[in-house]
Amino acid sequence: MLDVPHEAQVRGHQRVPSDSKEFHEVTKRDALRLLENDVDRLLKTTEPARQPALKAEMGRFADLFGRFLQEEGPALDWNKIQKLPENAVMNYSNLKSPKNEQNEIRNMLDKLVVIKLNGGLGTSMGCHGPKSVIPVRSDLTFLDLTVQQIEHLNKTYDANVPLVLMNSFNTDEDTEKIVRKYKGFRVQIHTFNQSCFPRISREHFLPVAKDFDVEKDMEAWYPPGHGDFYDTFRNSGLLKRFIDEGREYCFLSNIDNLGATVDLNILNKLVGEERATTPVEFVMEVTDKTRADVKGGTLIQMENKLRLLEIAQVPKEHVDDFKSVKTFKFFNTNNIWANLSAIDRVLRERTLNMEIIVNNKTLENGTRVIQLETAVGAAMKCFDGAIGINVPRSRFLPVKKSSDLLLVMSNLYTLKNGSLVMSPQRMFPTTPLVKLGENHFSKVKEFLGRFANIPDIIELDHLTVSGDVTFGRGVSLRGTVIIIANHGDRIDIPAGAILENKIVSGNMRILDH
């Protein structure tokens, strides 16, 4: 719970109860007024030419803050969750492929825009700059692979699918430089920036920024989650441009999800011969939940609308229910297909409403702050004819940690036109569960230094590595392998070693195999 100052006490976020409704209303108004005054003061610190655009952006920030103040208790009444209707989630295997006719597929692709969320930095993996420029396979970055995929589609079908990158103030400058290298490629690349909002002190509920010089104090600002996509996409002028070009849908996904490629079967359902008579305005790709995904957002039905439920919205006493694989079978991959005209409509009619995620942070100087965010999938309930599609696990291949990097760099996958394809030699469609110790493997450079080359993991089920461990060339890991070097010890797995259902511990520089 937040420590809310006396002048900003509100039910649901308060420490000291008050039985006066008027007290709440007055303090909410005061907190909002104080924040708006502070934001006006910040605006005056920037040059006049920038003020109109920044004023509109800060207006959206004040709206978000005002909604946050109004929220009373958990945003969700658990008892109102309804059973998912039969037709709410389609099975991917029931989708029909388009007829393999060049013209048909080109017409479908020309109605599509691909959007990648590119606001994240690679700092959690020990890298500088945008995460999208980390090499993930054959020295190719996330961005390289994305461009290759779309260029392959455009060349194969003589189509013109544009790529749009939603950057943040953290990634914009670097991305613009990198994008220049794709000039000769058959892909139109557009970029726009999501909002830049001030972090709020938990002590006095006012921005911690002293002025609008974001570069000078990056810690005082934050990009407010991917739910900010809708407003900033429209404000960039790209939404209108694509609608005017006759495009109908956008396919939006995280740049670090290497499984999120353009799928012609899903596109056929939206704009091809399988197009439903009642338009499907919003598709959320979900996949089967495993024990590794218990915290991922899930699909629920509430008030006769499909909607996204995130763990942050779940009342504490129901968190175990939320994590149950039996109760909630699916989780959200954050691969979203949305109708462009419908996005335009909900923005014009101001019916876009996404739950607020309160993210608590502590700055390097010890200041405790909150940042208010929204999630792109939470807009699902605002659209008509929204559905989920239960897709194969192969469409969810995010690279968040070095353990994910091990999988995508390994012989589990081959690279084909920018897409990763699982090896037919793998007996099961699921990937191995890999856990690498934070102290020795979390940073990409250190991780790469511990492998002479990536082991053969075609037959691996589970790998746990902890401590100071290195791998020689041509190592093969099968079944369940656990390697633990105790503190102060070191284990070197020699070249050519085959480890099958083995536990290795202690201090080993030579290992029989």
Side-chain angles (χ1 to χ4, degrees), residues 155-169:
K155 281 183 169 175
T156 305
Y157 299 104
D158 191 25
N160 180 21
V161 178
L163 170 63
V164 179
L165 302 173
M166 180 170 93
N167 300 329
S168 68
F169 64 90

Side-chain angles (χ1 to χ4, degrees), residues 307-357:
R307 58 194 278 180
L308 173 66
L309 175 63
E310 299 275 12
I311 194 165
Q313 297 162 250
V314 177
K316 278 188 182 139
E317 64 274 19
H318 290 289
V319 167
D320 287 342
D321 300 330
F322 175 82
K323 289 180 177 179
S324 161
V325 177
K326 284 182 185 167
T327 313
F328 297 105
K329 296 178 189 169
F330 311 116
F331 80 95
N332 170 29
T333 63
N334 216 38
N335 300 347
I336 305 284
W337 303 72
N339 182 286
L340 297 174
S341 297
I343 292 174
D344 185 53
R345 185 192 73 237
V346 296
L347 286 167
R348 272 188 290 103
E349 294 176 356
R350 300 180 67 85
T351 52
L352 191 66
N353 174 25
M354 293 166 284
E355 288 77 15
I356 294 170
I357 300 160

Side-chain angles (χ1 to χ4, degrees), residues 47-92:
E47 55 267 27
R50 289 185 67 210
Q51 286 183 14
L54 288 175
K55 191 169 184 180
E57 194 165 301
M58 288 304 101
R60 292 201 304 278
F61 168 66
D63 285 346
L64 192 64
F65 183 74
R67 278 181 50 220
F68 160 71
L69 291 177
Q70 292 297 332
E71 285 192 0
E72 303 189 353
L76 181 116
D77 182 344
W78 191 260
N79 298 319
K80 286 188 178 173
I81 296 178
Q82 302 160 312
K83 192 174 186 297
L84 277 179
E86 283 293 308
N87 59 351
V89 179
M90 282 190 73
N91 200 311
Y92 179 83

Side-chain angles (χ1 to χ4, degrees), residues 202-217:
R202 282 172 64 178
E203 190 184 336
H204 48 62
F205 263 32
L206 293 173
V208 293
K210 299 286 184 289
D211 54 42
F212 240 107
D213 190 344
V214 177
E215 293 288 318
K216 191 176 76 183
D217 189 7

Side-chain angles (χ1 to χ4, degrees), residues 343-394:
I343 292 174
D344 185 53
R345 185 192 73 237
V346 296
L347 286 167
R348 272 188 290 103
E349 294 176 356
R350 300 180 67 85
T351 52
L352 191 66
N353 174 25
M354 293 166 284
E355 288 77 15
I356 294 170
I357 300 160
V358 180
N359 200 340
N360 293 297
K361 299 267 183 187
T362 303
L363 305 186
E364 279 182 14
N365 64 7
T367 305
R368 296 191 308 156
V369 297
I370 58 168
Q371 51 190 53
L372 304 176
E373 303 174 10
T374 54
V376 68
M380 187 178 205
K381 63 180 187 290
C382 311
F383 290 86
D384 297 329
I387 60 167
I389 295 181
N390 185 13
V391 296
R393 185 74 186 203
S394 57

Side-chain angles (χ1 to χ4, degrees), residues 1-18 23-24 26-35 65 68-69 200-207 360 368-370:
M1 275 294 139
L2 304 173
D3 297 331
V4 181
H6 182 70
E7 73 266 25
Q9 297 293 348
V10 290
R11 194 150 62 90
H13 302 288
Q14 69 178 19
R15 293 164 71 201
V16 184
S18 167
F23 169 81
H24 287 295
V26 168
T27 51
K28 284 177 197 173
R29 280 200 302 274
D30 281 352
L32 186 56
R33 182 176 50 77
L34 288 167
L35 178 110
F65 183 74
F68 160 71
L69 291 177
I200 304 164
S201 160
R202 282 172 64 178
E203 190 184 336
H204 48 62
F205 263 32
L206 293 173
N360 293 297
R368 296 191 308 156
V369 297
I370 58 168

Side-chain angles (χ1 to χ4, degrees), residues 398-509:
V399 179
K400 304 286 184 195
K401 298 177 173 176
S402 55
S403 52
D404 303 320
L405 207 48
L406 177 76
L407 295 176
V408 301
M409 293 176 86
S410 75
N411 62 341
L412 266 187
Y413 296 98
T414 52
L415 196 56
K416 192 177 176 189
N417 304 314
S419 300
L420 291 182
V421 181
M422 190 177 276
S423 165
Q425 291 173 282
R426 176 79 176 164
M427 299 292 283
F428 343 94
T430 54
T431 53
L433 189 60
V434 176
K435 295 178 181 175
L436 301 178
E438 286 291 310
N439 292 342
H440 295 83
F441 289 87
S442 64
K443 306 290 184 245
V444 172
K445 193 175 177 185
E446 192 176 19
F447 158 81
L448 292 172
R450 292 188 169 273
F451 294 92
N453 68 348
I454 301 297
D456 165 7
I457 61 170
I458 288 281
E459 295 176 42
L460 180 68
D461 298 326
H462 179 119
L463 173 67
T464 295
V465 182
S466 178
D468 187 358
V469 179
T470 63
F471 292 80
R473 188 167 289 279
V475 171
S476 186
L477 305 173
R478 302 170 187 172
T480 296
V481 177
I482 298 169
I483 306 169
I484 297 173
N486 298 324
H487 184 67
D489 291 342
R490 175 169 159 178
I491 296 176
D492 294 330
I493 306 296
I498 298 170
L499 302 183
E500 183 167 2
N501 296 324
K502 278 227 191 266
I503 297 176
V504 182
S505 65
N507 183 4
M508 293 189 197
R509 308 304 290 267

